C-alpha cells in the first residue's frame, strides 16, 4: 500500500487494490479508522507478513464490514481475520485453503461467507454458530459430508455446495426453514446414490437398553450405575412411525429420497433401529418407485413449499 495513505485520505471508507500484484499490506492500513470495505482480490497475498501486525487491535477491526481476499495464496484463514468482529462479508474464494478454522464462530455479524474454489475437505460444526449467516458458498471444494449442525443456521437463504464430493445430505437440512436456494450439481449424489446399508448387530448392553426404553421399564438413578443412566438418556427414536423403537449405537443407514420442488429428489440420510424398518426396495436403482420415496411424502410436503430453487444440473 502506498506510504502516507492515511494522511492523504484519512476518511476513506472503501479501498480497492485488486489485481495489483500486491504481496503484503503495510501498516498504513491500520490508520484508516473509517474503512468499511477492503477489496484485495487477485493478488499474491498469502505468505508471511501479508497482513499487518496488530490488525486485530486497530480501529479497522471495528469498522471493517466487507473484506474480499479471493484469488490469492492463503493456505489457511489468517487468525487475525477472525478478530474482525464487525465483518458482515468475507470472501476467500480461489485460495489454497484446506480447512475452515473452528474459530470462524467468532464472526457473529457475518452474513456472507464465500470459500469456493479451495481444497476444503470438511465443514466444522462450529460454522453453525454464525447466527446472522444468510449466504454460504462452499462450491468447488472436496467436501464429502455436511454436518447436521448446519441445520442451526436458521437465517440461511442460500447454500452453494456444487462440485464437491457429497453422496448424501443429512435429513436435518430440512430444518433450514428460510433456505431458498440449494446448489448441488457436480456431486456424486446427483449421478449415483449411496447403497451402503451395512448394519452391525447391537451389543448386549444396547439390546438391554432398548428393552428398558421400549417397554418403559421403571428405574431410578439409584438403581443403576451412573454410566448406565447416562447411556439410557442417549436413546434415539427410530424415525419409522410404524416402529416406535429406539437405538443407541447400532443402527441402519437408509437413504430416503425427498422431493423438494416436484422435480428433483434429494437423498437424505436416515438412521433406523433395525433392518426390518428399512424397505428392501430403497436402493437407488429403483428410486422412482421405491418405498423410501413414498415414505418421504410427509417430509416432501413440509419442504417443497420452502425451497424455491434446487440446482442439480
Amino acid at each position: 500500500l502506498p506510504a502516507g495513505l492515511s494522511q492523504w485520505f484519512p476518511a476513506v471508507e472503501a479501498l480497492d487494490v485488486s489485481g495489483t500484484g500486491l504481496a503484503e499490506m503495510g501498516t498504513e492500513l491500520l490508520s484508516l479508522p473509517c474503512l468499511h470495505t477492503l477489496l484485495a482480490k487477485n493478488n499474491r497475498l498469502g505468505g508471511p507478513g501479508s497482513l499487518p501486525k496488530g490488525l486485530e487491535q486497530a480501529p479497522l477491526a471495528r469498522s471493517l464490514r466487507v473484506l474480499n481476499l479471493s484469488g490469492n495464496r492463503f493456505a489457511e484463514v489468517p487468525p487475525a481475520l477472525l478478530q474482525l468482529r464487525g465483518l458482515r462479508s468475507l470472501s476467500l474464494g480461489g485460495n489454497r485453503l484446506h480447512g475452515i478454522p473452528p474459530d470462524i464462530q467468532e464472526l457473529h455479524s457475518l452474513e456472507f461467507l464465500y470459500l469456493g474454489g479451495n481444497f476444503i475437505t470438511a465443514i466444522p460444526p462450529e460454522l453453525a454458530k454464525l447466527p446472522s449467516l444468510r449466504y454460504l458458498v462452499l462450491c468447488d471444494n472436496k467436501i464429502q459430508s455436511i454436518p447436521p449442525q448446519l441445520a442451526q443456521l436458521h437465517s440461511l437463504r442460500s447454500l452453494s455446495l456444487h462440485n464437491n464430493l457429497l453422496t448424501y445430505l443429512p435429513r436435518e437440512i430440512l430444518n433450514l426453514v428460510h433456505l431458498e436456494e440449494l446448489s448441488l450439481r457436480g456431486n456424486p449424489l446427483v449421478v449415483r446414490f449411496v447403497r451402503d446399508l451395512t448394519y452391525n448387530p447391537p451389543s448386549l448392553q444396547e439390546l438391554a437398553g432398548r428393552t428398558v426404553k421400549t417397554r418403559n421399564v421403571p428405574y431410578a438413578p439409584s438403581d443403576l450405575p451412573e454410566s448406565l443412566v447416562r447411556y439410557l438418556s442417549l436413546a434415539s427414536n427410530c424415525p419409522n412411525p410404524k416402529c416406535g423403537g429406539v437405538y443407541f449405537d447400532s443402527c441402519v443407514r437408509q437413504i430416503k429420497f425427498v422431493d423438494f420442488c416436484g422435480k428433483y429428489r434429494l437423498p437424505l440420510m436416515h438412521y433406523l433401529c433395525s433392518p426390518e424398518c428399512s424397505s428392501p426396495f430403497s436402493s437407488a436403482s429403483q428410486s422412482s418407485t421405491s418405498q423410501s420415496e413414498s415414505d418421504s411424502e410427509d417430509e416432501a410436503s413440509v419442504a417443497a413449499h420452502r425451497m424455491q430453487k434446487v440446482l442439480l444440473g
Side-chain angles (χ1 to χ4, degrees):
L1 294 178
L5 178 64
S6 59
Q7 286 78 18
W8 298 339
F9 306 103
V12 66
E13 296 182 353
L15 178 63
D16 188 349
V17 291
S18 301
T20 58
L22 200 65
E24 64 179 49
M25 290 188 283
T27 55
E28 296 84 5
L29 190 67
L30 305 180
S31 303
L32 300 174
C34 301
L35 191 67
H36 60 68
T37 299
L38 175 58
L39 310 179
K41 302 178 292 180
N42 304 324
N43 284 301
R44 296 185 290 120
L45 299 169
S50 291
L51 302 179
K53 293 183 179 179
L55 179 62
E56 58 273 22
Q57 282 86 33
L60 186 67
R62 296 184 294 275
S63 66
L64 201 61
R65 297 291 182 266
V66 177
L67 177 60
N68 193 325
L69 296 173
S70 292
N72 280 283
R73 304 175 180 180
F74 290 100
E76 62 179 16
V77 178
L81 299 188
L82 303 177
Q83 302 300 316
L84 304 178
R85 304 298 171 81
L87 272 186
R88 295 177 183 171
S89 175
L90 175 60
S91 299
L92 280 164
N95 276 274
R96 303 171 181 177
L97 305 178
H98 284 79
I100 305 173
D103 286 345
I104 194 77
Q105 65 181 309
E106 301 298 330
L107 301 179
H108 297 298
S109 300
L110 206 61
E111 298 178 5
F112 178 91
L113 179 60
Y114 189 103
L115 298 174
N118 282 287
F119 304 95
I120 298 170
T121 58
I123 303 174
E126 288 81 3
L127 189 64
K129 297 181 180 180
L130 297 175
S132 303
L133 196 63
R134 294 166 59 89
Y135 301 93
L136 176 58
V137 182
L138 296 168
C139 60
D140 299 289
N141 278 287
K142 299 181 181 298
I143 299 169
Q144 300 183 44
S145 63
I146 303 299
Q149 288 87 350
L150 284 196
Q152 301 169 20
L153 292 173
H154 300 303
S155 298
L156 201 62
R157 298 292 193 275
S158 177
L159 177 59
S160 296
L161 295 167
H162 51 272
N163 298 331
N164 275 286
L165 302 175
L166 298 172
T167 55
Y168 72 92
L169 299 176
R171 63 194 300 247
E172 287 82 359
I173 203 169
L174 295 175
N175 296 327
L176 294 174
V177 296
H178 296 296
L179 195 65
E180 298 173 354
E181 179 175 295
L182 175 63
S183 179
L184 294 168
R185 65 183 183 275
N187 279 282
L189 68 81
V190 177
V191 294
R192 58 180 171 82
F193 299 124
V194 178
R195 302 188 186 190
D196 181 15
L197 297 178
T198 57
Y199 177 67
N200 295 319
S203 64
L204 292 177
Q205 176 177 277
E206 175 153 353
L207 288 173
R210 292 186 182 195
T211 300
V212 170
K213 285 293 184 179
T214 55
R215 298 188 179 183
N216 294 318
V217 177
Y219 66 91
S222 58
D223 298 332
L224 301 172
E226 182 180 350
S227 60
L228 291 182
V229 174
R230 185 166 54 251
Y231 179 79
L232 288 171
S233 68
L234 299 177
S236 299
N237 293 321
C238 181
N240 185 344
K242 299 179 181 180
C243 173
V246 300
Y247 64 88
F248 294 87
D249 302 313
S250 300
C251 58
V252 175
R253 293 189 300 168
Q254 181 196 47
I255 305 299
K256 299 186 76 174
F257 296 85
V258 175
D259 185 349
F260 275 120
C261 299
K263 184 175 181 181
Y264 300 115
R265 289 193 179 275
L266 301 183
L268 302 181
M269 184 70 81
H270 286 238
Y271 298 91
L272 305 166
C273 68
S274 72
E276 286 73 24
C277 290
S278 176
S279 167
F281 303 103
S282 60
S283 68
S285 62
Q286 299 176 346
S287 63
S288 61
T289 58
S290 72
Q291 182 65 37
S292 64
E293 286 184 350
S294 61
D295 288 345
S296 300
E297 293 305 321
D298 54 338
E299 289 176 347
S301 63
V302 171
H305 73 281
R306 294 203 307 254
M307 194 70 65
Q308 296 181 0
K309 187 184 296 182
V310 179
L311 304 176
L312 295 180

